[in-house]
Amino acid sequence: MPLTAEVLARHGLTPEEYQRILSTLGREPNLTELGIFAVMWSEHCSYKSSRRHLAKLPTQGPQVLQGPGENAGVVDVGEGWVCVFKIESHNHPSFIEPFQGAATGVGGILRDVFTMGARPVAIMDSLRFGALDDPRSRHLLAGVVAGIAHYGNCFGVPNLGGETGFDASYAGNPLVNAFALGLARRDALFYGKASGVGNLVMYVGAKTGRDGIHGATMASEEFSESSESKRPNVQVGDPFLEKLLLEACLEAMRSGAIIGIQDMGAAGLTSSSSEMGGRAGTGIELDLDRVPQRESGMSAYEIMLSESQERMLLVAAPGREAEIARIFAKWGLDAVVIGRVTGDGMLRVLQHGRVEAEIPNRALTDAAPRYDRPRRAPAVPAAPLDRPAGLPALDPATALLRLLASENICSRRWIYEQYDTMVRTNTLAAPGGDAGVIRIKGTRRSLAMALAGSGRYCRLDPRQGARLAVAEAARNVASTGARPLAATNCLNFGNPEKPEIMWQLVEALEGMGEACRALNTPVTGGNVSLYNETRGEAIAPTPVVGVVGLLEHEHDGVPLGPRFLAAGDTVLLLSGAPRLEPEEAGRRLGSTEYARLLGAVWGWPPALDLAGERALHLVLAEAARAGLLRSAHDCSEGGLAVALAECLLAHPVNFPAAAPLGATIALPPDELNLENWLFAETASRVVASCSAHALAPLEDLARRHSLTLLRLGQVESRPSLRLLRAGRTVFDLDWPALNQAWQQGFARAFEAVAEEAVV
């Protein structure tokens, strides 16, 4: 096939990039070589638009053993244990085929973890869809959740929740970000390096088919009218086979017969071989005739670019290939020698005795193009600075009930009840709280994890929005009593070739770096997902942050949770937030879910004082260790009123049934108006409860850390939320009314689905 402009465009390569290929090879590439360059130089694999800016993030710390550059990050959690974790996107495949796109996203992130030698012990997900009243969005939501549930449940790993949001900007481009965390012994880690010239390279796992060819390229372009035709670019996963692959890999690792191992993820055999060689500074020679294939007549181009699932590439210790093959055969899996490590730094591909590709590994990895794309702040602000004239306030009781029923706040039980949350019996805090918590068996330690991101804030100010995402994820972890350790990120943005989008990305990275440095949460890796656009309309900029924290000692066997536990306890607001003048507070109200209820957006995202945020985390950890708190719950979407209601309604799936409680809350009569007190989404705040004897030590602890502690009221046996200000009852909402509102969001949406099906 002649390499015409049309062929180059189909491969996502620019004329300038093609000239670079010619210079690298010193000749014309053949089609197989062009395909290899195309996938490895795609945005998805090379990070060519973002790599120079990712350097702004902090990646080192005393607990970090492996930062960006490997399959997943690694953090030391003590007693000889390490935790391995990462988040990845599967946005484009999930739009085209929601069930398989989401399922294989889970499969891929699990392989990233266990290829490091860790057993996966938890997964989470961060999801974004268009408005829930849109039938297409409901279809995508149902398919994505079913795919996540199918793969995780069948594989046998607990799903500890995450976050799900809705906004019109995601209607044509949903976000499906999958997070996984595993545990390993510190001395049993493995890396994706092809070390040892002469060592043999083995292919293990499922057979190769034609599914997923050019999946990485497809994930590096905008959606168009023809995107539905790209279903063949979406892989098909088999979670039962992946479970066998996990056990076989871990057994082979324990045997000492493996030197290096790499998942065949995006770009399949191409990326795994070139990246392993690139990291080690070696070459790899592959004989494609030996690759297990489930379809006949596959070309070198198809084999190298296939993204068939549940496959690994490994380098065997000298003379131990037969031992590895026996282990994998025991688990019913292929394990065959398909090549060798060479000393010339080349990726050499043979088929039927002919050289089908010969490319320097470094040209595909470290020497891939890197762009400093133009960036420009939007000429027109995303929203007016001040509240639209004449916009009335809502009645507080009505506003709270409507917020609880809204798609971005209502109970997510419909989602997480489809997940197995308790498999392997390590779960201490399942979905329904601020963070998931998993125990490290054989120790008194446990790990907390949470995801957060807000396109709503980032649309107004991407730098501040990214700072808030880091702060919220870390605060959710701290709300369990854990100490935040490290972060991973998934950067979801539109087309970086547009200066305004590139500006959003760079601003978000600047903000994320600031927050991670201030909160001592270095970034150990993650994923960049660009070109999230449909017909030229970009998603809201959505950097998603995952934070992992450590509880060194379990608190009576259970971490802190959001739910009030006992009548008579005092309700507190712990705050490290800056004090705002009324005018600024009014402007920051415009970015909230409450403002959306009013049908308007204005002003700025919430204020954030990173020193106050850090102090809040320290106080929560110290208070938890001392047993001073009964509950703690992050105050975020919907503001204080929603947080208080959730403290009465929250019911994680593993929480014992209990009679409903209520609370009477008295707000101070200061200059802040009622709207701001109840519905502002000011950061660095936690609603907590404690017994009477813990009040004085808590107040002393807060003073020592310059943290504000405000007594709000009391937990009561009467099941209602009663709010007072200046001695006047603002509202008194009984528990059934609150719960009905909170539970009805998804229920109403999927009742509509049933009605549509009947019609």
Side-chain angles (χ1 to χ4, degrees), residues 478-482 555 560 572 574 615-632 688-690 694 697-699 701-702 704-705 707 709:
S479 293
T480 69
H555 319 299
L560 294 174
L572 310 169
L574 294 167
L616 177 62
H617 301 174
L618 294 173
V619 166
L620 288 168
E622 192 171 335
R625 281 195 302 272
L628 299 178
L629 293 176
R630 294 276 185 93
S631 70
S689 64
C690 70
L698 271 172
E699 288 173 333
L701 178 60
R704 284 193 282 114
H705 288 278
L707 201 71
L709 185 152

Side-chain angles (χ1 to χ4, degrees), residues 1-15 17-22 25 27-42 214 217 270 301 304-305 356-359 364:
M1 177 185 295
L3 298 182
T4 63
E6 182 183 352
V7 172
L8 292 180
R10 197 160 61 244
H11 283 78
L13 291 165
T14 66
E17 287 170 345
Y18 183 62
Q19 289 302 313
R20 187 166 176 168
I21 293 170
L22 294 178
L25 296 180
R27 57 176 171 81
E28 292 270 349
N30 61 34
L31 187 60
T32 299
E33 290 170 327
L34 189 75
I36 288 171
F37 273 108
V39 293
M40 292 306 296
W41 286 8
S42 69
H214 270 302
T217 309
T270 289
Y301 181 99
M304 290 300 293
L305 271 61
E356 292 288 343
E358 196 168 32
I359 305 170
L364 299 172

Side-chain angles (χ1 to χ4, degrees), residues 560-643:
L560 294 174
R563 190 176 185 181
F564 292 151
L565 296 180
D569 281 354
T570 300
V571 179
L572 310 169
L573 181 66
L574 294 167
S575 174
R579 183 176 180 83
L580 303 180
E581 294 300 322
E583 182 182 31
E584 181 179 349
R587 285 175 173 170
R588 295 194 184 275
L589 186 68
S591 63
T592 63
E593 283 293 321
Y594 175 77
R596 279 170 49 111
L597 276 188
L598 298 178
V601 177
W602 69 90
W604 305 312
L608 173 64
D609 179 337
L610 287 168
E613 183 74 42
R614 176 70 176 156
L616 177 62
H617 301 174
L618 294 173
V619 166
L620 288 168
E622 192 171 335
R625 281 195 302 272
L628 299 178
L629 293 176
R630 294 276 185 93
S631 70
H633 179 36
D634 167 41
C635 186
S636 53
E637 287 87 0
L640 177 62
V642 166

